[in-house]
Amino acid sequence: MAYRRTERVIRRLAARREDILAAARDAVAEGGMAAVQIVPVAERAGIAAGTVYRYFPSKTELVNELVEQACAREVETMRRAAEAAPGPLSAIAAAVAALGQRALQNRKLAWALIGEPADTETGAVRHACRAALAGEFGRLIRTAAAAGLLPAEQSPAVTAPALVGAMIEGLIGPLAPEIESNPARQREAVQSLTLLVLRALGVADARARGLVVQIALPAVTEGAA
Amino acid sequence: MAYRRTERVIRRLAARREDILAAARDAVAEGGMAAVQIVPVAERAGIAAGTVYRYFPSKTELVNELVEQACAREVETMRRAAEAAPGPLSAIAAAVAALGQRALQNRKLAWALIGEPADTETGAVRHACRAALAGEFGRLIRTAAAAGLLPAEQSPAVTAPALVGAMIEGLIGPLAPEIESNPARQREAVQSLTLLVLRALGVADARARGLVVQIALPAVTEGAA
DNA sequence: GCAAAGCGTGAACGACGATTCACGCCAGTG
DNA sequence: CACTGGCGTGAATCGTCGTTCACGCTTTGC
């Protein structure tokens, strides 16, 4: 044998791989999914087009990994926020607020990754992502319902996806008012949305119960794009 | 002069134009936005590819018109359902139900036209479409709020888009349960969603008030694809 | 220092799909 | 009925990417 990957090389390769993913992420954040093109992404990463294919078998795979990564991060954010909450209801509130907060931090990115579609292949991954979000959310709903905190008539199979849709559309969808750069209005929007979701689930007096205040602004600082 | 369009010819041209739009619509319903390709659409319409360009300056224009048409139809459906309702609250319920009902009738089509994105050009039109839906919906909310039937704290600018999102995602989004062919379950899903929306707006006891029953199944028979 | 094995390169290739256009055909005109 | 001009055609054209690959350069092992 005459060649074996050194620790140093392995590290370099891994770093390069991350660079590519980061470049792709940046591209998405700037120009949406359509902006993820091999040559531009490669340039952004400071490498040649062909090199991308040393790390990813195809563009589809690259995009898939991007979406999966982002999705996992969101689900994790949600889960953590919920776990840190003192009870099932505030867990829901916290989850919504955390997700909303993050989404607002980079609306275009979030929208592109979760909302905007791509080829059929990628569609499956995105579907899995939404399903994961809805699933996690459904779990929170069921927990609260089981604890008698929500009207029992809930059908999480319908409400969870619908509310995920409400969050997506309400905050990051193309409809959302332009609040990108205004922290105060962002906070406001997230709160409105949180209240909306709670009401939708049958919690009429969330504000009175102080469910909103305690989740007002979960510091989300990790993993900046 | 040696040529002037006869009434008959004008009619034929208009019909052809509609044929093209219909063919495009069918294509969308079958394979999503991606399936709207000039040659296949032309074949479907029984004409040559080049002919499409006698009627539409570009594919983008064709798609735009398709989306606008569909959008206008939906907004109109919503408005009419609301107007026929006996009061502001049932107007909201009726609007949601009517929209949901129609969307379910051809989920793939609805999703492709409203949910699934396309190129930047088309994005603008779709944005306008969603905005129109949200606007109409916002109007209903404001009316109800003004009548003191909803908590005054509503901020339609946030809730209307969010609830449009909830409807889209909950019923026709990729996550929605597969209920295409089961009328009973469709009815159920629409009702759940209607209740969800009403609750989200602060109406806790919609069912008790009989708001749901009266909109149970607005016969939507007009304009089949 | 030398051979072996990856790694990086970027021009070239291929697929796909929108758009064009030179040519017949048919309907309207007088 | 002959003539005119728009309509329909569909093969060819053009652009836009994703993907490949033959060729150096770099790193590793001895």
Side-chain angles (χ1 to χ4, degrees), chain B residues 46-162:
Chain B
I47 59 179
T51 306
V52 173
Y53 287 86
R54 297 269 184 199
Y55 293 85
F56 299 91
S58 72
K59 178 186 160 179
T60 299
E61 283 299 312
L62 168 59
V63 172
N64 281 357
E65 193 158 332
L66 197 61
V67 173
E68 268 165 19
Q69 244 186 33
C71 176
R73 209 163 24 224
E74 296 316 310
V75 172
E76 187 53 30
T77 297
M78 205 168 146
R79 194 195 308 269
R80 223 176 303 175
E83 271 171 10
L89 276 191
S90 38
I92 293 176
V96 174
L99 219 55
Q101 192 61 203
R102 277 186 73 90
L104 278 183
Q105 286 185 348
N106 196 335
R107 235 174 75 181
K108 193 153 191 176
L109 178 62
W111 171 249
L113 289 179
I114 301 197
E116 193 181 320
D119 59 301
T120 320
E121 295 299 312
T122 311
V125 180
R126 192 174 331 226
H127 179 268
C129 174
R130 288 187 178 212
L133 282 175
E136 187 60 27
F137 200 60
R139 202 176 344 272
L140 297 180
I141 295 174
R142 267 184 285 270
T143 301
L149 297 167
L150 295 177
E153 44 177 59
Q154 299 292 325
S155 160
V158 173
T159 53

Side-chain angles (χ1 to χ4, degrees), chain A residues 111 115-117 127 130-131 134 153-154 157-159 161-166 169-170 174-175 177 189 192-193 196 199-202 207, chain B residues 111 116-117 127 130-131 134 153-155 157-159 161-166 168-170 174-175 177 189 192-193 196 199-202 207:
Chain A
W111 169 248
E116 196 177 321
H127 180 268
R130 287 188 177 211
E153 44 176 60
Q154 300 290 329
V158 173
T159 55
L163 291 178
V164 168
E169 191 74 27
L175 274 189
S192 296
L193 195 69
L196 177 87
R199 277 199 310 266
L201 291 171
R207 185 165 267 151
Chain B
W111 171 249
E116 193 181 320
H127 179 268
R130 288 187 178 212
E153 44 177 59
Q154 299 292 325
S155 160
V158 173
T159 53
L163 291 178
V164 168
I168 295 176
E169 192 75 27
L175 280 187
S192 295
L193 194 70
L196 177 88
R199 278 198 310 264
L201 291 172
R207 187 164 264 151

Side-chain angles (χ1 to χ4, degrees), chain B residues 89 149-151 195 197-206 209 211:
Chain B
L89 276 191
L149 297 167
L150 295 177
L195 284 170
V197 168
L198 287 172
R199 278 198 310 264
L201 291 172
V203 180
D205 54 349
R209 293 207 220 168
L211 281 173

